[in-house]
């Protein structure tokens, strides 16, 4: 139990600091500890929902939340979550458990590779608002199957391509992730794929972790924060690959 509380604290700190870590680190960690992949995803979604709720509160008080961007991402994600929820209910459990870990690892490796790119990333098309909806759809589908994506993919895209202030990226990512994880959690809860006792011990550690991470976020330079976020993306990808 103490190990679970410590795990909740560490991941909560990363969420408060960078907006990432909820699914990208917690789900692989739970799978590594021997929990069934579907249960790991469902439990992490409950943990992530509570963690992000505190994160939004703390970052909102500092003015680090772009509600307009989070709203557009959410609109794109809703149909993806519905499609993903339908698929999860109609694909055999054995197949999902077999491929969830593989899909999780591939997603993190791709985002980690992108995080290695230095300097500004020039996309071949002119940025448009419509692309935010498309990004929301892709991430929504990813989160529904793995509980990962809201932090890692959104943070990388907004920070490196859209070039939004890293501090605002963190708060916006947490707000978007909160809504998305809540919707996804309800789907897994209806299937009985949530370990509430485990989630409770994880949440016990996340509250002080999120508070500390938010405090550090407010006192770190933008460039240093950007490096920290990209480094964590790389670390999470390598962690999952080695696992």
């Amino acid at each position: 139990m103490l190990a679970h509380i410590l795990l909740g604290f560490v991941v909560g700190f990363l969420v408060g600091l960078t907006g990432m870590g909820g699914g990208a680190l917690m789900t692989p960690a739970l799978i590594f500890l021997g929990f069934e992949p579907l249960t790991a995803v469902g439990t992490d979604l409950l943990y992530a929902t509570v963690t992000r709720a505190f994160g939004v509160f703390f970052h909102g008080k500092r003015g680090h939340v772009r509600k307009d961007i989070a709203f557009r991402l959410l609109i794109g994600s809703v149909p993806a979550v519905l499609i993903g929820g339908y698929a999860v209910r109609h694909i055999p459990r054995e197949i999902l458990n077999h491929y969830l870990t593989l899909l999780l690892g591939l997603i993190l490796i791709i985002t980690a590779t992108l995080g290695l790119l230095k300097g500004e990333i020039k996309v071949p098309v002119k940025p448009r608002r419509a692309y935010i909806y498309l990004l929301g759809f892709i991430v929504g589908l990813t989160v529904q199957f793995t509980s990962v994506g809201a932090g890692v993919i959104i943070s990388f895209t907004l920070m490196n391509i859209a070039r939004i202030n890293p501090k605002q990226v963190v708060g916006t990512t947490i707000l978007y992730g909160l809504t998305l994880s809540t919707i996804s959690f309800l789907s897994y809860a209806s299937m009985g794929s949530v370990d509430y006792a485990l989630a409770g011990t994880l949440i016990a550690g996340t509250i002080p972790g999120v508070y500390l991470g938010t405090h550090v976020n407010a006192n770190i330079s933008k460039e240093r924060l950007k490096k920290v976020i990209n480094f964590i993306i790389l670390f999470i990808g390598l962690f999952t690959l080695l696992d």
Side-chain angles (χ1 to χ4, degrees):
M1 179 180 292
L2 185 60
H4 295 160
I5 294 176
L6 179 60
L7 178 61
F9 174 84
V10 172
V11 176
F13 173 78
L14 291 176
V15 171
L17 175 64
T18 69
M20 302 182 301
L25 187 58
M26 182 61 76
T27 299
L30 292 179
I31 293 175
F32 180 78
L33 291 174
F35 291 94
E36 180 191 34
L38 275 177
T39 300
V41 173
T43 303
D44 174 45
L45 286 169
L46 172 56
Y47 163 81
T49 297
V50 177
T51 300
R52 287 163 179 161
F54 282 98
V56 169
F57 175 75
F58 293 138
H59 280 280
K61 292 178 65 176
R62 300 179 185 273
H64 292 164
V65 179
R66 286 285 301 274
K67 295 180 181 179
D68 57 328
I69 294 178
F71 181 70
R72 293 190 182 97
L73 289 169
L74 180 61
I75 291 178
S77 298
V78 171
V81 170
L82 296 177
I83 293 173
Y86 178 84
V88 167
R89 293 173 181 275
H90 292 81
I91 298 176
R93 194 179 188 91
E94 295 76 13
I95 295 177
L96 282 175
N97 280 329
H98 179 73
Y99 287 103
L100 272 176
T101 305
L102 176 61
L103 178 61
L104 174 62
L106 289 175
I107 291 169
L108 297 182
I109 291 171
I110 291 172
T111 52
T113 301
L114 292 175
L116 286 172
L117 298 176
K118 297 181 179 180
E120 295 181 3
I121 300 175
K122 296 182 179 180
V123 293
V125 293
K126 183 178 181 180
R128 299 178 183 276
R129 289 185 177 181
Y131 297 153
I132 298 181
Y133 298 110
L134 176 60
L135 177 63
F137 181 86
I138 295 173
V139 173
L141 202 58
T142 301
V143 170
Q144 184 62 28
F145 282 106
T146 69
S147 85
V148 176
V152 178
I153 300 175
I154 291 295
S155 293
F156 173 82
T157 305
L158 295 182
M159 184 177 63
N160 292 291
I161 298 179
R163 288 178 290 174
I164 295 175
N165 185 323
K167 294 182 184 292
Q168 292 184 333
V169 167
V170 174
T172 303
T173 298
I174 296 176
L175 174 58
Y176 165 73
L178 168 62
T179 308
L180 194 60
S181 61
T182 301
I183 297 173
S184 298
F185 157 70
L186 294 175
S187 176
Y188 276 82
S190 66
M191 296 188 297
S193 298
V194 178
D195 188 328
Y196 291 96
L198 172 62
T201 58
L202 294 172
I203 291 171
T206 198
I207 298 175
V210 172
Y211 178 80
L212 180 61
T214 304
H215 178 74
V216 174
N217 172 279
N219 292 279
I220 191 173
S221 69
K222 292 188 294 184
E223 287 303 317
R224 183 170 296 180
L225 179 59
K226 184 175 181 179
K227 291 180 180 179
V228 169
I229 292 175
N230 277 322
F231 174 77
I232 292 177
I233 291 175
L234 171 62
F235 173 79
I236 292 172
L238 292 176
F239 172 83
T240 306
L241 177 63
L242 291 176
D243 180 45

